[in-house]
């Protein structure tokens, strides 16, 4: 989970860099998802040894396709909110969507909530609030409804992603097929999200498909995402679920992403941090440790 969270920093880098290169984000996501779908589906077919039940496959397909579709709208809503509002606060509120899968595991699947986990969870929430409030950015438009929608859709997407790990029939489906289902949902989301101006989107998509720069970023984006999805993400969530700790999967990934980004910003980019930001980083680290107890 920690490694997956750290890999998300690359996704953030690519998503931030693409618009500056005049790359259509919807086209980039669709083409990247197409690469992931074809590769993971091929891996699933070539490595399958025992077929899970048809009910398990269909259930997993429905859940993770919806997850991919929701994930597309999560990214779109967050991007629009960041264009209009303070990026730090928008990012923090959106990432706080992990409260949904956290409480889903506790309320519906009997995940034990210890005092250490409660303190860790509170520590992470406070750190996210502090990170958001310490960004020196001002809003430029109506962004609150957008960021609240992004928060809700993030929770839906992450809960759906975590759901198969709690059911024996669904968690027998391999990581390769789960990745393929999620990628298909993301492609569907890109099409559905652009249905009103599909003619323009289709033109953008055709132009993007001819661009080496677009394929380069799509491959960079999918290289680490595929490695993490096929080897770490779903296996990690399954392992945590079997250990009775499935609720902490997304808090761990979000915190790891945040800490990794801050370490890069401090050590490599040589960015300066205020005392409040340093306190937020320490609280986030302590929260991760407490959640693992």
């Amino acid at each position: 989970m920690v490694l997956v969270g750290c890999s998300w920093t690359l996704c953030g880098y690519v998503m931030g860099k693409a618009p500056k290169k005049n790359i259509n984000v919807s086209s980039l996501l669709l083409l990247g998802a197409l690469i992931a779908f074809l590769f993971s589906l091929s891996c699933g077919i070539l490595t399958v040894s025992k077929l899970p039940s048809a009910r398990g496959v269909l259930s997993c397909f429905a859940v993770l396709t919806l997850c991919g579709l929701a994930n597309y709208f999560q990214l779109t809503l967050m991007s629009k909110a960041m264009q209009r509002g303070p990026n730090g606060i928008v990012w923090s509120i959106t990432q706080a969507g992990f409260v949904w899968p956290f409480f889903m595991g506790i309320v519906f699947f009997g995940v034990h909530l210890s005092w250490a986990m409660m303190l860790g969870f509170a520590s992470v929430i406070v750190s996210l609030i502090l990170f958001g409030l310490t960004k020196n950015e001002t809003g430029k438009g109506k962004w609150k409804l957008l960021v609240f929608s992004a928060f809700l859709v993030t929770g839906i997407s992450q809960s759906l992603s975590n759901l198969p790990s709690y059911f024996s029939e669904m968690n027998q489906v391999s990581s390769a097929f789960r990745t393929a289902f999620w990628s298909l949902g993301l492609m569907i989301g890109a099409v559905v999200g652009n249905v009103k101006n599909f003619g323009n989107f289709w033109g953008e998509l055709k132009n993007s498909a001819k661009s080496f720069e677009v394929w380069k970023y799509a491959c960079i984006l999918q290289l680490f995402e595929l490695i993490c999805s096929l080897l770490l993400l779903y296996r990690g969530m399954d392992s945590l679920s079997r250990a009775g700790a499935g609720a902490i999967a997304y808090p761990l990934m979000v915190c790891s992403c945040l800490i990794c980004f801050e370490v890069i910003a401090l050590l490599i980019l040589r960015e300066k941090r205020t005392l409040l930001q340093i306190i937020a980083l320490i609280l986030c680290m302590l929260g991760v440790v407490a959640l693992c107890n």
Side-chain angles (χ1 to χ4, degrees):
M1 295 297 95
V2 171
L3 289 173
V4 173
C6 289
S7 75
W8 288 354
T9 56
L10 179 65
C11 177
Y13 168 79
V14 172
M15 294 303 292
K17 198 82 171 175
K20 296 176 183 178
K21 296 281 187 178
N22 293 320
I23 294 173
N24 182 275
V25 173
S26 293
S27 299
L28 176 63
L29 288 173
L30 193 149
L31 293 174
L34 178 62
I35 294 171
F37 174 74
L38 294 174
F39 184 82
S40 55
L41 184 64
S42 300
C43 288
I45 293 171
L46 291 173
T47 58
V48 65
S49 56
K50 180 183 177 182
L51 287 173
S53 67
R55 180 179 173 181
V57 173
L58 290 174
S59 300
C60 195
F61 172 80
V63 167
L64 291 179
T65 302
L66 283 174
C67 172
L69 190 148
N71 196 213
Y72 171 82
F73 287 102
Q74 170 212 356
L75 294 170
T76 303
L77 288 166
M78 184 174 70
S79 176
K80 288 181 179 179
M82 284 183 167
Q83 290 169 24
R84 301 182 185 185
N87 286 5
I89 294 176
V90 169
W91 189 89
S92 297
I93 293 174
T94 303
Q95 296 308 312
F98 72 73
V99 301
W100 298 101
F102 182 79
F103 284 113
M104 179 186 76
I106 293 165
V107 175
F108 295 105
F109 299 104
V111 174
H112 175 66
L113 182 62
S114 65
W115 281 105
M117 288 175 65
M118 289 175 64
L119 289 172
F121 181 77
S123 180
V124 169
I125 292 294
V126 171
S127 74
L128 283 173
I129 293 170
L130 291 179
F131 271 120
L133 295 177
T134 54
K135 303 291 184 181
N136 296 319
E137 298 159 337
T138 56
K140 300 175 183 177
K142 295 180 179 179
W143 55 275
K144 292 181 180 178
L145 180 59
L146 285 169
V147 74
F148 182 68
S149 300
F151 167 73
L152 290 177
V153 177
T154 297
I156 292 169
S157 173
Q158 292 183 358
S159 297
L160 289 170
S161 176
N162 207 4
L163 198 59
S165 298
Y166 291 108
F167 294 93
S168 58
E169 285 187 325
M170 283 196 278
N171 66 35
Q172 290 175 12
V173 178
S174 71
S175 295
F177 283 116
R178 289 196 227 181
T179 304
F181 299 157
W182 174 85
S183 303
L184 179 62
L186 192 64
M187 287 191 286
I188 294 171
V191 174
V192 171
N194 290 278
V195 71
K196 288 184 179 180
N197 59 338
F198 189 75
N200 293 334
F201 174 66
W202 181 247
E204 286 278 1
L205 185 61
K206 287 194 292 185
N207 290 332
S208 297
K210 298 174 184 176
S211 169
F212 172 78
E213 195 79 2
V214 173
W215 285 109
K216 181 183 78 172
Y217 279 106
C219 289
I220 291 172
L221 190 63
Q222 292 306 321
L223 175 63
F224 288 95
E225 283 204 357
L226 276 172
I227 291 172
C228 288
S229 293
L230 295 175
L231 301 179
L232 301 173
L233 175 62
Y234 297 111
R235 293 184 182 186
M237 288 194 292
D238 290 351
S239 296
L240 285 172
S241 179
R242 286 193 295 270
I248 71 170
Y250 271 96
L252 275 178
M253 288 187 281
V254 170
C255 292
S256 301
C257 175
L258 181 59
I259 292 169
C260 183
F261 176 81
E262 287 299 309
V263 169
I264 291 172
L266 289 169
L267 300 182
I268 298 177
L269 302 179
R270 302 292 182 182
E271 292 183 1
K272 302 297 182 181
R273 289 292 182 265
T274 65
L275 177 61
L276 205 57
Q277 288 171 319
I278 293 171
I279 292 172
L281 181 60
I282 293 171
L283 283 172
C284 190
M285 291 178 175
L286 291 174
V288 170
V289 174
L291 282 170
C292 293
N293 281 289

